[in-house]
Amino acid sequence: MTNNTAAVLRLEIGQANKTIRPGKLALHAGSNPKGESFGFTNFYMTRNGEPVIPVVGEFHFSRFSYLHWEEELLKMKAGGVHLVATYVFWNFHEEEEGVFDWSGNRNLRHFIDLCAKHELPLILRIGPFCHGEVRNGGIPDWVFRYPLEVRSNDERYLSLARRLYREIARQIQGTYYQEGGPVIAVQLENEYMHAGAPLDAWGYSSGQYVTAGTDGSAHLDELRRIAEEVGIRPLFFTATAWGGAAVPEEGTLPMLAGYAYTPWIPNQPPSREFLFQDLHVTPAEPVNYDSLEYPVAYCEMAGGMQVSYKARPYVPAESIEAMTLVKMGSGSNLLGYYMYHGGSNPVGRKTFLNESGLPKITYDYQSPLGEFGRVGDSYDRIRTISLFLQAFGHLLAPMGTVLPAGQEHIAPEDTHSVRWCVRQKDGSGFVFLNNFQDHVDLPDRRLRIELDTPQGKAFFPQTGEFTLRSRLAAILPFNLELDGLFIVSATVQLLTRLEAEDETLLVFFAHDGMEPEIVIRKSSVSEVGGDGSHGAVKEDEANWIVRPATGRQHQIRVKTAEGRVVRLVTLTRDEALLTYRFDGLWGHDRLVISTSHLAIKDGQLICTSPGQNQVTLSLYPAPVPSAELRSSAGVLQTAAEPDGSVFQTYTLDFAAYLPELTLNSPSDRSVLVDVPADWPESVSDVWLRIEYDGDVAAAYLGDRMLTDHIHYGQHWEIGLKQVRHELENHPLHLSITPLRRGTVHSFVNQAYVERFEGVEIAKIHDIQVIPHYSARLWPQGK
């Protein structure tokens, strides 16, 4: 429900700028043979000497088929990931003592080489203890046979750590950033002095845990000494720093976590993850380091959550976007998602390698990219944020957080207070707004914002008010000089910028409920063009007030005081979620707005469309007429564009394909599915979307479990590309374990006896087939 009375939010910005100094990591800058570099101040990371706010995506190579690593890394890169992080799980590689396996899906070196090929810097998290919802937190079962204390400076344990590190060092030799490789950082251990993990090797009952450790930073220091001794020498090390975890004094970047849907908290109350604060000054929880000496960096901001048997949270995509904007507004200058890409646990030689109480195979995690390469809604939301950071992150990174009075006292359950803050430098900056809270529904809000800054007053909007919808988070600019334009304020969010043909394209997008407005200082422009079809332009004494029409077909042409042409395009929210940016595509940096998923490989644009055989693609700048686009599949045609549009649109039509399934159902709880394996060339994958009632489910091929699913209220999806070659020989067997509604009576009489009174629910309601149409596009002559 919308409150009809508008709240007027006022803030006077007179604070000094954030003090930027070298900080504790200043000595850990480094360059590669090309002269490219990474470095740090106490407030942000630098790339080639410039401030950056990178996006880090966690992808566990050993939980995905190595045959498709490259494809998934390219999807991550297209999705806006700048750095990749991955665990090296000890028990995945040395399940049997002294027998290391670095082959197939465990081939760390091959994964690193692919990251190098596609210029994706890499953070390795090498344990020995990792957790990651793996059996014993990643420590092999056989370790617990020995009289030693794991996660300690027990010399017997350290000797095993030294052997593990020596093996890892062999695999990553020559791959460090300073040597021309992608490895920029290494994490030793995980959550030390904060958290343990179920001790599944115990094997008798639940409630036994691997220790969290007791040796403080002395243990991490010893692990680092061993790592460097065997040759592991990255630019810098990282440490998980939340919950009072140990953090070494030197050479280590402390990294934080943010989770709102947490199965480890029974009857979870609303979290504090969606409240603004100044994290650089006051971290969200106690930490063992001086926060003023390091950038605020996240390595585990929730990209989803793993479902457990006893706790089955659903993580909405809005929560991931809102948390990201809240952490940015609160001063975070490095955004790391755990998980960004889910997968499947490998099966061990002796047992499953999952943590008890969790699915045996699936580690989908509801992440932006999931098991079998599923593309989720949060993938598009994170990409819009990454596009903003790529274009404007150098401006945001040095800006300090300014909290309006009372923000630090808002409780998560508070549905009345408006959550907002500002990041600014010299009176220029961004307003951050959030109207999302986990486990609480916040109402729509009528707002007006008035800022008093050293560069003058800024109003949102210039007159009147706007609506901030429930579950929405937004970033609004003020007093920014962009390409010669001085933007006083805007009720639209910046997406990206692009230079082409001696012009600049500034791309915004409009949120529902917020009438688009861009206020430009008159002194910065010589000409503002607009008509009724592309938007309205008005003026007051000091400013041009542009109210643009939304949609890629509309643009406002502005000429700066220096004579440069800047075109303003305001996309709809839906169009923004379909927008990709590819640098150097066919000779130009390009924007592509498409109803398909996109990636770049070998200079070709890869279009993948789940379930839809008609695709549109709008490109800016358009390929020159002599470079007509070609497609490897489907029918590609040029579509007409309205007058004034800067985009060129194409349609791509595939022949519809719907494979016929043969179903054999021995019972409501089980079905055998025969799926044709002779897919047409235009179909790169076939997925099954299964609607069922039950407790848990599993899919088998022959005697092998392909994946499983703990029901948490969402449909179950299975991609078949990785097992296509097996479909001719085996039907896919879907099995449902019933959900019980009733009473269980149990007693022990020599043996355990159980009597159930009630109803068992296990039924497959529907199986949909979703073909993934795919084509490669390239210009003629390329």
Side-chain angles (χ1 to χ4, degrees):
M1 179 181 296
T2 303
N3 187 337
N4 292 326
T5 303
V8 180
L9 309 178
R10 295 185 175 92
L11 183 63
E12 183 175 348
I13 300 174
Q15 291 85 347
N17 292 335
K18 176 64 67 172
T19 300
I20 309 295
R21 57 178 187 270
K24 286 278 192 176
L25 288 172
L27 298 179
H28 293 271
S31 59
N32 65 14
K34 296 179 182 178
E36 301 163 333
S37 66
F38 281 101
F40 291 95
T41 70
N42 69 320
F43 199 57
Y44 51 76
M45 195 176 198
T46 63
R47 187 81 189 264
N48 301 328
E50 294 294 320
V52 292
I53 302 180
V55 173
V56 184
E58 186 102 4
F59 177 27
H60 299 157
F61 65 96
S62 50
R63 282 172 156 158
F64 211 86
S65 168
Y66 75 97
L67 297 174
H68 302 285
W69 284 345
E70 184 170 29
E71 176 183 349
E72 299 308 305
L73 287 170
L74 291 173
K75 285 159 64 175
M76 292 177 70
K77 189 169 184 177
V81 168
H82 307 124
L83 310 175
V84 176
T86 194
Y87 270 133
V88 181
F89 293 113
W90 186 3
N91 58 351
F92 284 13
H93 297 282
E94 195 187 5
E95 186 182 358
E96 297 179 355
E97 184 176 5
V99 181
F100 281 90
D101 184 356
W102 301 100
S103 64
N105 296 348
R106 295 169 169 85
N107 192 336
L108 172 61
R109 182 55 177 254
H110 178 41
F111 184 77
I112 293 174
D113 288 344
L114 287 173
C115 289
K117 176 181 177 181
H118 296 294
E119 299 182 326
L120 283 166
L122 182 62
I123 300 171
L124 295 178
R125 307 171 80 182
I126 67 172
F129 177 86
C130 294
H131 199 187
E133 291 71 66
V134 166
R135 184 177 174 87
N136 310 321
I139 299 177
D141 282 18
W142 57 263
V143 172
F144 298 96
R145 298 197 307 251
Y146 291 105
L148 53 79
E149 182 70 19
V150 300
R151 306 184 76 187
S152 80
N153 281 345
D154 182 328
E155 189 52 46
R156 291 163 295 187
Y157 175 71
L158 293 177
S159 70
L160 297 178
R162 181 178 293 105
R163 186 176 70 184
L164 171 66
Y165 284 3
R166 187 181 297 117
E167 285 288 329
I168 293 173
R170 288 179 59 233
Q171 298 299 316
I172 65 178
Q173 184 176 3
T175 67
Y176 300 104
Y177 186 77
Q178 57 271 33
E179 300 173 308
V183 177
I184 62 168
V186 170
Q187 177 187 302
L188 308 175
E189 245 285 339
N190 186 58
E191 297 181 324
Y192 191 69
M193 297 284 291
H194 169 63
L199 180 53
D200 293 313
W202 166 253
Y204 293 97
S205 66
S206 61
Q208 298 294 319
Y209 288 87
V210 177
T211 176
T214 59
D215 291 335
S217 61
H219 180 53
L220 299 183
D221 291 340
E222 186 63 16
L223 288 178
R224 176 169 174 174
R225 185 190 67 78
I226 293 171
E228 292 180 334
E229 181 181 272
V230 301
I232 298 175
R233 298 174 180 270
L235 288 184
F236 59 97
F237 289 88
T238 70
T240 48
W242 55 89
V247 177
E249 283 288 328
E250 300 294 335
T252 300
L253 174 65
M255 303 188 80
L256 302 174
Y259 292 104
Y261 298 85
T262 49
W264 53 84
I265 299 179
N267 303 313
Q268 183 195 326
S271 74
R272 298 193 62 82
E273 303 294 349
F274 298 95
L275 302 175
F276 291 103
Q277 54 199 312
D278 188 342
L279 291 168
H280 196 236
V281 175
T282 308
E285 53 185 314
V287 294
N288 287 321
Y289 61 92
D290 183 352
S291 63
L292 294 176
E293 292 293 329
Y294 301 93
V296 179
Y298 277 81
C299 65
E300 290 197 17
M301 198 162 53
M305 179 51 65
Q306 181 70 328
V307 176
S308 68
Y309 187 76
K310 292 185 178 180
R312 309 183 182 198
Y314 165 64
V315 182
E318 300 99 314
S319 73
I320 297 170
E321 180 179 27
M323 186 187 294
T324 302
L325 266 59
V326 167
K327 300 309 181 188
M328 287 168 58
S330 299
S332 178
N333 278 336
L334 190 150
L335 307 172
Y337 293 96
Y338 188 103
M339 296 290 294
Y340 184 90
H341 199 311
S344 307
N345 291 319
V347 177
R349 294 184 177 90
K350 298 181 179 181
T351 185
F352 288 104
L353 295 174
N354 63 299
E355 180 176 295
S356 57
L358 299 177
K360 293 180 173 66
I361 299 293
T362 185
Y363 198 69
D364 178 81
Y365 214 84
Q366 306 175 56
S367 50
L369 296 174
E371 190 180 25
F372 308 111
R374 172 193 55 76
V375 178
D377 290 341
S378 56
Y379 176 80
D380 295 328
R381 294 169 183 265
I382 291 172
R383 190 177 63 253
T384 64
I385 296 168
S386 180
L387 286 171
F388 167 79
L389 293 176
Q390 181 182 356
F392 310 108
H394 66 289
L395 300 176
L396 177 63
M399 293 178 177
T401 297
V402 181
L403 291 176
Q407 285 294 307
E408 65 273 20
H409 301 303
I410 296 176
E413 299 82 4
D414 184 344
T415 61
H416 300 288
S417 301
V418 179
R419 295 119 185 266
W420 72 297
C421 78
V422 163
R423 282 184 69 172
Q424 73 88 36
K425 179 183 178 185
D426 296 326
S428 299
F430 299 90
V431 174
F432 288 80
L433 294 160
N434 174 44
N435 203 23
F436 180 95
Q437 175 66 53
D438 64 285
H439 301 89
V440 172
D441 291 327
L442 300 182
D444 292 356
R445 305 183 190 280
R446 295 291 293 168
L447 301 177
R448 174 173 174 78
I449 301 174
E450 299 180 354
L451 303 181
D452 189 355
T453 82
Q455 300 199 48
K457 296 183 183 294
F459 305 108
F460 305 81
Q462 192 73 356
T463 58
E465 63 262 350
F466 64 84
T467 299
L468 181 65
R469 299 286 192 205
S470 177
R471 303 174 72 84
L472 178 69
I475 314 172
L476 306 179
F478 66 91
N479 293 342
L480 285 185
E481 184 177 344
L482 300 176
D483 296 286
L485 295 185
F486 191 91
I487 296 179
V488 178
S489 64
T491 60
V492 288
Q493 186 162 322
L494 277 164
L495 181 65
T496 188
R497 66 176 295 278
L498 206 70
E499 294 183 11
E501 299 176 355
D502 298 322
E503 297 183 351
T504 298
L505 186 74
L506 280 180
V507 185
F508 302 80
F509 68 91
H511 290 286
D512 292 340
M514 300 173 70
E515 183 179 351
E517 177 184 272
I518 305 169
V519 179
I520 304 170
R521 186 165 292 172
K522 277 185 173 179
S523 59
S524 69
V525 299
S526 61
E527 183 182 318
V528 179
D531 56 42
S533 63
H534 294 289
V537 178
K538 298 182 179 179
E539 61 180 302
D540 61 21
E541 185 176 340
N543 305 308
W544 289 105
I545 302 163
V546 178
R547 295 194 173 96
T550 57
R552 57 173 173 75
Q553 70 272 28
H554 300 294
Q555 51 108 358
I556 302 290
R557 183 180 183 275
V558 180
K559 183 176 287 188
T560 70
E562 289 76 27
R564 182 169 182 81
V565 173
V566 179
R567 297 183 186 273
L568 310 180
V569 170
T570 302
L571 303 177
T572 66
R573 164 73 165 170
D574 288 342
E575 286 176 322
L577 292 173
L578 300 176
T579 300
Y580 294 74
R581 175 187 172 128
F582 298 109
D583 292 344
L585 175 61
W586 307 327
H588 292 278
D589 297 346
R590 278 194 163 85
L591 296 184
V592 186
I593 303 174
S594 180
T595 55
S596 65
H597 305 313
L598 302 177
I600 297 295
K601 183 180 181 183
D602 300 329
Q604 297 179 327
L605 184 63
I606 311 299
C607 306
T608 304
S609 177
Q612 299 297 320
N613 65 320
Q614 296 180 319
V615 169
T616 63
L617 304 101
S618 299
L619 280 66
Y620 173 83
V624 297
S626 61
E628 180 184 355
L629 285 187
R630 299 295 182 89
S631 176
S632 64
V635 177
L636 183 68
Q637 294 180 308
T638 303
E641 279 285 355
D643 291 342
S645 175
V646 297
F647 286 86
Q648 175 61 62
T649 295
Y650 301 84
T651 61
L652 179 59
D653 293 284
F654 298 96
Y657 172 67
L658 188 63
E660 185 174 340
L661 304 183
T662 302
L663 306 179
N664 178 15
S665 300
S667 70
D668 284 346
R669 304 181 182 184
S670 184
V671 62
L672 299 174
V673 185
D674 279 304
V675 184
D678 53 341
W679 310 337
E681 184 180 357
S682 60
V683 173
S684 60
D685 202 352
V686 169
W687 284 61
L688 301 183
R689 177 175 293 169
I690 303 144
E691 303 287 346
Y692 75 95
D693 286 330
D695 191 16
V696 299
Y700 298 88
L701 273 173
D703 61 356
R704 175 170 63 91
M705 182 186 288
L706 175 63
T707 188
D708 52 349
H709 186 262
I710 294 177
H711 204 310
Y712 63 104
Q714 304 299 305
H715 53 252
W716 180 24
E717 291 187 332
I718 303 174
L720 300 177
K721 173 175 61 179
Q722 296 179 22
V723 295
R724 178 180 178 182
H725 62 291
E726 299 180 58
L727 295 177
E728 292 182 0
N729 302 319
H730 300 285
L732 188 69
H733 174 206
L734 306 178
S735 175
I736 311 296
T737 300
L739 177 68
R740 284 180 165 181
R741 291 181 180 170
T743 304
V744 176
H745 303 280
S746 62
F747 57 93
V748 176
N749 181 11
Q750 292 186 325
Y752 174 78
V753 178
E754 179 182 284
R755 298 286 184 266
F756 171 66
E757 297 176 356
V759 177
E760 291 188 335
I761 302 170
K763 185 175 180 61
I764 296 174
H765 295 289
D766 186 42
I767 302 176
Q768 295 183 40
V769 186
I770 304 174
H772 285 217
Y773 301 96
S774 186
R776 295 172 287 107
L777 305 185
W778 69 95
Q780 182 178 4
K782 292 288 185 179

